[in-house]
């Protein structure tokens, strides 16, 4: 029996799922992603250094049990667990890569895998562990592929997505069918204008300006296939910004949307001055305790999309291509991310397994009247076909560039086309300078 981990359920997964800052990798490598031999054949033995990203505080028992199970299954192996804090995690990986001290198995997000793969430090799993590909959701496996490079550079690990909460009372007051929330962006824009008009501008539907995920869900091509140029300034991207500016001018987009953080938007949703907001099971519990008048009117719906596919947030487990214990490192990375262990982790905290068929488990499909289950079932359903819309090449600095240019368009300081052209030009420059 694995060590009890029930207490960990109280912990939030938000910290572990936070997006990383850009990784300025200075390591030397082949630059073609090969990192030397991709062979992971051989005896599974030796000490595997395994690094996670801010998980030890809340999930110590889970990982100790996981490691003990692996060592028991593979006599002659030992796993040395290293957990790094969330702050400066990317810088730590960069320093380890440059100094030749990168652990054998490393928890990464897709953007963190990019510079490591380009430096030849991330093992190509299509070559070294392709036999496992069918065990994972297709969209999850592809999330650690890099435009312009052949291969997949991390095992997909846990996933997340956020269904939308909406205020049924505010929808009804605007004369809208509260049981039929918007599913497409056109439906969203129409509903938002109705709500603003019927409330004399007091109620906004959305609290944030469009981010890169919105461009993806709207159907905007975000990057060329070679991964050398951003393309979100195409006519469909410009159309999206024009639509959002119409909402902003009509009061259907919160007046502080250009500066709002998620916490501020959530607070306004609780105050019922915003009609829709993304969230999680943790938020639903807060509504019940802190905003009972909102809670009784809460509706849950998938995120709005024109593509029919929601956005997937994904974490991965990368194998160092220079590992001296490569067979054991690949075996352990696969063990961490196999269906059984991902299901165990999903029972610890509100995350979702990336393994094929796991989301059909009753834990993710059967309602039991609990709020946590309502959100879990809704999110799991959307994740089956979800994709990671955020280009792996788009780092935090680039996201800031896009956010600032979108704000200028919303404020009328720049035409939408000019704003997106400028955003693409600067992101392309940053992409080129990053090598």
């Amino acid at each position: 029996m694995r060590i009890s981990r029930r207490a960990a359920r109280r912990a939030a997964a938000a910290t572990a799922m936070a997006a990383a800052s850009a990784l300025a990798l200075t390591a030397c490598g082949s630059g073609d992603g090969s990192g030397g031999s991709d062979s992971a054949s051989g005896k599974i033995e030796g000490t595997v250094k395994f690094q996670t990203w801010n998980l030890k505080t809340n999930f110590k028992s889970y990982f100790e049990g996981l490691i003990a199970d692996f060592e028991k299954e593979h006599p002659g192996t030992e796993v040395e667990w290293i957990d790094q804090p969330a702050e400066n995690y990317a810088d730590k990986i960069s320093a380890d890569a440059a100094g030749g001290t990168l652990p054998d198995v490393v928890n990464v997000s897709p953007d963190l895998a990019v510079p490591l793969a380009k430096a030849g430090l991330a093992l190509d799993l299509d070559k070294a562990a392709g036999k496992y590909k069918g065990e994972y959701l297709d969209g999850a496996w592809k999330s650690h592929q890099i435009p312009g490079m052949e291969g997949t550079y991390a095992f997909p690990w846990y996933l997340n997505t956020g269904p939308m909460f909406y205020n049924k009372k505010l929808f009804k007051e605007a004369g809208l069918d509260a049981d039929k929330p918007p599913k497409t962006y056109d439906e969203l824009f129409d509903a938002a204008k109705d709500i603003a008009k019927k409330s004399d501008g007091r109620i906004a539907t959305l609290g944030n300006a469009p981010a890169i995920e919105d461009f993806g869900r709207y159907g905007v091509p975000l990057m060329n296939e070679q991964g050398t140029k951003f393309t979100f300034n195409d006519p469909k991207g410009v159309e999206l910004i024009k639509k959002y500016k119409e909402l902003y001018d009509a009061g259907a987009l919160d007046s502080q949307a250009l500066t709002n953080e998620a916490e501020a938007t959530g607070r306004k949703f609780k105050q019922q001055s915003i009609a829709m907001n993304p969230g999680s099971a943790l938020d639903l519990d807060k509504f019940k305790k802190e905003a009972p008048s909102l809670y009784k009117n809460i509706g849950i719906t998938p995120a709005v999309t024109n593509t029919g596919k929601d956005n997937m947030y994904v974490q991965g487990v990368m194998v160092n291509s220079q590992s001296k214990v490569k067979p054991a490192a690949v075996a352990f990375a696969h063990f961490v991310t196999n269906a059984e262990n991902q299901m165990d982790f999903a029972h610890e905290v509100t995350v979702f397994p990336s393994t094929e068929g796991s989301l059909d488990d009753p834990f993710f499909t059967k309602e039991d009247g609990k709020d946590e289950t309502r959100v879990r079932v809704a999110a799991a359903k959307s994740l089956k076909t979800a994709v990671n819309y955020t280009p792996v090449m788009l780092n935090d600095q680039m996201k800031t560039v896009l956010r600032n240019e979108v704000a200028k368009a919303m404020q009328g300081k720049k035409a939408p086309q000019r704003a997106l052209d400028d955003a693409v030009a600067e992101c392309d420059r940053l992409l080129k300078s990053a090598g």
Side-chain angles (χ1 to χ4, degrees):
M1 289 291 290
R2 187 168 290 170
I3 300 169
S4 173
R5 306 183 296 277
R6 299 305 100 189
R9 289 175 186 248
R10 298 191 296 268
T15 301
M17 293 298 293
S21 60
L23 178 59
L25 185 66
T26 56
C28 296
S30 64
D32 64 359
S34 63
S37 172
D38 280 319
S39 175
S41 61
K43 191 173 182 181
I44 298 174
E45 62 182 1
T47 299
V48 176
K49 291 186 177 180
F50 169 49
Q51 179 170 290
T52 53
W53 185 353
N54 198 35
L55 295 175
K56 197 165 197 172
T57 300
N58 294 319
F59 308 113
K60 185 173 183 288
S61 294
Y62 170 81
F63 285 102
E64 287 177 343
L66 182 76
I67 290 167
D69 286 352
F70 179 79
E71 292 173 344
K72 182 178 180 180
E73 186 173 314
H74 298 282
T77 62
E78 181 179 350
V79 177
E80 180 183 327
W81 179 26
I82 307 161
D83 188 64
Q84 299 291 348
E87 186 177 2
N88 299 321
Y89 185 71
D91 293 338
K92 174 61 176 172
I93 291 179
S94 179
D96 285 343
T101 58
L102 192 69
D104 302 290
V105 177
V106 184
N107 177 193
V108 293
S109 54
D111 60 310
L112 289 182
V114 171
L116 294 168
K118 287 190 170 184
L121 296 176
L123 187 66
D124 179 1
L125 298 178
D126 285 341
K127 294 179 179 178
K131 63 183 179 181
Y132 300 126
K133 179 179 178 179
E135 297 180 15
Y136 301 89
L137 294 170
D138 185 57
W141 186 265
K142 289 179 178 177
S143 66
H144 286 90
Q145 295 176 349
I146 300 169
M149 294 181 67
E150 295 291 333
T152 301
Y153 294 95
F155 284 104
W157 195 9
Y158 56 91
L159 310 177
N160 224 325
T161 192
M164 290 288 286
F165 292 128
Y166 68 101
N167 189 318
K168 290 185 174 183
K169 179 173 178 287
L170 297 180
F171 270 68
K172 289 177 183 177
E173 289 176 350
L176 301 172
D177 188 340
D179 294 322
K180 294 182 179 180
K183 298 182 182 300
T184 67
Y185 276 90
D186 282 344
E187 292 174 358
L188 172 65
F189 296 146
D190 289 343
K193 290 175 183 177
D194 286 342
I195 290 171
K197 184 177 180 180
K198 292 293 178 65
S199 66
D200 293 324
R202 291 182 299 102
I203 306 298
T205 297
L206 301 173
N208 294 105
I212 195 67
E213 297 93 334
D214 293 290
F215 283 81
R217 285 189 293 245
Y218 195 71
V220 179
L222 303 178
M223 200 168 199
N224 65 9
E225 291 183 4
Q226 297 75 32
T228 58
K229 183 176 174 55
F230 291 100
T231 58
F232 52 78
N233 60 335
D234 93 323
K236 202 162 189 66
V238 175
E239 177 183 282
L240 176 67
I241 297 303
K242 288 180 177 178
K243 296 283 189 181
Y244 263 87
K245 185 172 182 348
E246 290 176 7
L247 298 188
Y248 188 70
D249 292 343
L253 183 65
D254 185 67
S255 61
Q256 296 180 324
L258 307 184
T259 56
N260 268 353
E261 298 294 332
E263 184 178 349
T265 305
R267 184 168 60 251
K268 291 188 175 186
F269 183 69
K270 284 197 296 184
Q271 295 168 346
Q272 302 191 68
S273 60
I274 292 177
M276 298 187 77
N277 199 50
S280 69
L282 300 173
D283 293 313
L284 196 57
D285 187 56
K286 288 180 182 177
F287 298 155
K288 186 174 185 178
K289 295 175 181 176
E290 301 171 9
S293 61
L294 167 66
Y295 175 78
K296 68 181 182 182
N297 291 301
I298 280 289
I300 303 173
T301 186
V304 170
T305 172
N306 286 354
T307 66
K309 296 182 178 182
D310 204 350
N311 186 57
M312 174 190 293
Y313 301 94
V314 57
Q315 287 288 307
V317 177
M318 187 205 83
V319 176
N320 182 352
S321 66
Q322 307 298 324
S323 172
K324 299 293 194 298
V325 290
K326 196 177 296 180
V330 170
F332 182 69
H334 174 250
F335 186 79
V336 170
T337 61
N338 71 24
E340 179 182 356
N341 289 318
Q342 287 211 49
M343 278 296 294
D344 280 353
F345 197 45
H347 279 272
E348 295 288 337
V349 67
T350 311
V351 295
F352 300 85
S354 61
T355 40
E356 183 69 40
S358 295
L359 296 176
D360 293 323
D361 187 272
F363 183 68
F364 298 111
T365 60
K366 299 296 184 183
E367 297 276 8
D368 59 8
K370 296 179 181 178
D371 290 333
E372 179 181 350
T373 306
R374 291 173 62 195
V375 180
R376 182 172 67 240
V377 169
K381 183 178 180 181
S382 68
L383 275 171
K384 287 184 179 181
T385 57
V387 296
N388 180 16
Y389 286 112
T390 303
V392 295
M393 316 297 281
L394 189 78
N395 61 36
D396 277 3
Q397 188 177 3
M398 297 171 188
K399 291 176 186 177
T400 298
V401 168
L402 176 59
R403 183 167 59 247
N404 290 342
E405 291 298 332
V406 166
K408 292 173 185 176
M410 296 292 103
Q411 295 166 332
K413 295 179 179 179
K414 283 187 180 182
Q417 182 73 67
R418 172 66 184 280
L420 290 185
D421 285 347
D422 288 349
V424 163
E426 179 61 11
C427 288
D428 285 347
R429 185 191 70 80
L430 292 168
L431 180 66
K432 188 175 181 180
S433 66

